[in-house]
Amino acid sequence: MKAPRVTLDQWRTLQAVVDHGGFAQAAEALHRSQSSVSYTVARMQDQLGVPLLRIDGRKAVLTEAGGVLLRRSRQLVKQASQLEDLAHHMEQGWEAEVRLVVDAAYPSARLVRALTAFMPQSRGCRVRLREEVLSGVEEVLLEGVADLAITGLSIPGYLGAELSDVEFVAVAHPEHALHRLNRELNFQDLESQMQVVIRDSGRQQPRDVGWLGAEQRWTVGSLATAATFVGSGLGFAWLPRHMIERELKEGTLKLLPLDQGGSRNPSFYLYSNKDKPLGPATQILIELLRTFDTAPLDAPFAAPEQA
């Protein structure tokens, strides 16, 4: 890659001349001599081969090319400053990245709120978010490729912070054979029908959580696909209520009138990688995840301002 001929300091100098209205004003703002500022800009123009400024009376005015390059340079200088800030924060133990793995059934609205609030406090730290299903979350954490994990399963050897429950409800299309029975349903009624289940993304010990043992079973890769299948009349399933509120209101899905077990409320937990010390960014994100976990999903939301 060809090395740039113009330095960041030169771009900063040009920006100062434009922002402060002239060479003398820029020199005062930069605590440099006017001749030094003038030389820097003149040298830039020679190196780039295009005029950046023209003199209009007593004022330096950007040329068309200068205007285009100046706009691009502002982003360049900003990114360089952010890079230096990130290096400084990393020196102080601030993480460059936090890796978060979440069970797909956990409400994404809560994640959005927590991550939105995290952004102004992140100091350049990125969040790498990964979705898994059931034991897939545990495997990712145990493999050491996640710093934080949210799951509805208990992970042996780990102490998790308890989060809110997620309600799963048994549903089928309103015209499904189960609804046409027009009575309270029992286990035997379900056993004779096709059940749609979500594939466990874990590879080591995948689980059939919620499967009733029916001979007719379709396994799909995501909750969204399961909702689509069931909403089209293909089988029944237990799905997170927060994901299908609209379908329930519109009548494309209907709660099954079970005599028991029509609603399940597994608790979710937040785990951290016990083999890696928690950095400051990870600790901030943990607090935000716990804070927004308790907020109603339909409550008005505005990210808090940075202190």
Side-chain angles (χ1 to χ4, degrees):
M1 181 180 294
K2 185 178 179 182
R5 290 174 291 178
V6 178
T7 66
L8 291 172
D9 179 68
Q10 287 175 300
W11 288 119
R12 289 191 183 101
T13 302
L14 176 64
Q15 291 172 16
V17 172
V18 174
D19 294 343
H20 294 282
F23 290 95
Q25 298 89 328
E28 183 177 354
L30 296 172
H31 305 290
R32 293 164 57 178
S33 67
Q34 183 174 341
S35 60
S36 172
V37 171
S38 299
Y39 173 80
T40 298
V41 175
R43 176 67 175 157
M44 281 184 70
Q45 296 183 110
D46 290 341
Q47 290 171 311
L48 294 171
V50 293
L52 304 173
L53 297 170
R54 59 180 174 81
I55 303 302
D56 187 358
R58 295 185 177 182
K59 188 175 182 181
V61 179
L62 280 169
T63 63
E64 184 176 352
V68 173
L69 294 174
L70 180 67
R71 286 193 297 273
R72 296 288 296 272
S73 75
R74 290 191 188 281
Q75 187 64 25
L76 178 67
V77 171
K78 180 181 178 181
Q79 289 175 345
S81 178
Q82 291 173 340
L83 186 62
E84 292 172 1
D85 288 343
L86 179 58
H88 174 68
H89 297 320
M90 291 174 66
E91 181 186 14
Q92 296 179 323
W94 198 273
E95 307 94 301
E97 180 179 80
V98 177
R99 301 164 300 174
L100 171 64
V101 58
V102 181
D103 190 291
Y106 186 75
S108 58
R110 292 174 183 160
L111 292 176
V112 168
R113 294 180 177 196
L115 295 176
T116 301
F118 178 71
M119 285 181 62
Q121 305 179 56
S122 65
R123 301 187 187 180
C125 175
R126 299 178 300 174
V127 175
R128 186 184 296 273
L129 179 62
R130 177 171 174 175
E131 275 194 341
E132 296 287 341
V133 176
L134 296 172
S135 68
V137 177
E138 178 181 352
E139 285 187 13
V140 171
L141 183 66
L142 296 181
E143 289 169 0
V145 293
D147 303 305
L148 299 174
I150 295 177
T151 177
L153 301 178
S154 176
I155 301 181
Y158 283 76
L159 293 175
E162 188 169 358
L163 301 176
S164 299
D165 296 345
V166 173
E167 183 184 13
F168 286 73
V169 290
V171 293
H173 187 276
E175 299 300 320
H176 190 276
L178 288 169
H179 284 300
R180 291 202 298 269
L181 293 175
N182 292 317
R183 59 172 172 79
E184 193 174 66
L185 305 175
N186 56 38
F187 173 80
Q188 287 72 27
D189 294 323
L190 299 182
E191 195 175 28
S192 64
Q193 298 293 324
M194 185 177 72
Q195 182 180 355
V196 178
V197 297
I198 293 82
R199 179 181 61 84
D200 188 331
S201 62
R203 302 183 304 276
Q204 304 300 323
Q205 293 181 321
R207 309 179 189 185
D208 284 324
V209 174
W211 179 43
L212 296 179
E215 286 297 325
Q216 301 181 71
R217 177 181 72 164
W218 282 13
T219 303
V220 298
S222 72
L223 290 163
T225 301
T228 299
F229 276 34
V230 176
S232 300
L234 299 175
F236 71 94
W238 272 267
L239 298 171
R241 181 186 282 272
H242 69 87
M243 292 186 65
I244 57 171
E245 285 288 0
R246 185 178 66 181
E247 288 81 355
L248 290 172
K249 290 178 180 178
E250 294 176 351
T252 56
L253 287 176
K254 185 178 178 180
L255 298 177
L256 290 172
L258 301 181
D259 57 358
Q260 59 181 347
S263 176
R264 302 169 178 171
N265 297 77
S267 294
F268 274 64
Y269 298 88
L270 173 61
Y271 295 94
S272 59
N273 188 334
K274 64 180 182 180
D275 297 322
K276 178 182 177 182
L278 297 179
T282 305
Q283 294 182 53
I284 290 173
L285 184 55
I286 287 174
E287 289 306 311
L288 291 172
L289 287 169
R290 297 181 67 179
T291 296
F292 288 101
D293 174 74
T294 59
L297 294 177
D298 57 352
F301 167 69
E305 295 182 1
Q306 185 177 6

